[in-house]
């Protein structure tokens, strides 16, 4: 489904930029660069979903930045 593709694309971008912190706008721009045009609010909802299941975490800064958690790194095969 479209949602699955969107979620995989989002995790892929976060993985590619690991260990960098990415803001929602940076994620939106990176997704647009690879051909995925999504509203910022849509990306924010997906980030929240990933955070709830423990794959990523926000840093509570303004603007909030996102990184993979240890569980997210293990799932995606990222070397620590």
């Amino acid at each position: 489904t479209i949602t699955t593709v969107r979620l995989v694309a989002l995790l892929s971008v976060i993985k590619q930029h690991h260990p960098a912190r990415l803001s929602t706008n940076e994620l939106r721009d990176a997704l647009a660069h690879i051909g995925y045009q999504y509203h910022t609010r849509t990306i924010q909802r997906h980030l929240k979903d990933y955070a709830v299941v423990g794959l990523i975490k926000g840093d509570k800064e303004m603007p909030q930045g996102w990184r993979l958690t240890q569980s997210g790194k293990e799932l995606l095969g990222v070397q620590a």
Side-chain angles (χ1 to χ4, degrees), residues 5-37:
V5 170
R6 185 181 305 145
L7 293 171
V8 169
L10 183 57
L11 271 183
S12 174
V13 167
I14 294 170
K15 178 183 177 182
Q16 288 172 356
H17 289 86
H18 174 75
R21 163 200 188 279
L22 295 170
S23 70
T24 304
N25 287 337
E26 290 169 327
L27 288 164
R28 185 199 61 224
D29 294 345
L31 288 165
H33 184 72
I34 59 173
Y36 297 100
Q37 300 290 328

Side-chain angles (χ1 to χ4, degrees), residues 33-45:
H33 184 72
I34 59 173
Y36 297 100
Q37 300 290 328
Y38 300 118
H39 294 282
T40 301
R41 185 64 189 119
T42 299
I43 295 168
Q44 289 169 333
R45 282 199 256 334

Side-chain angles (χ1 to χ4, degrees), residues 41-70:
R41 185 64 189 119
T42 299
I43 295 168
Q44 289 169 333
R45 282 199 256 334
H46 290 310
L47 291 168
K48 181 180 173 189
D49 291 343
Y50 278 145
V52 166
V53 297
L55 296 177
I56 63 170
K57 63 181 175 183
D59 61 12
K60 308 291 187 207
E61 298 293 323
M62 291 303 259
Q64 178 143 255
W66 298 90
R67 289 188 174 97
L68 291 171
T69 62
Q70 186 60 38

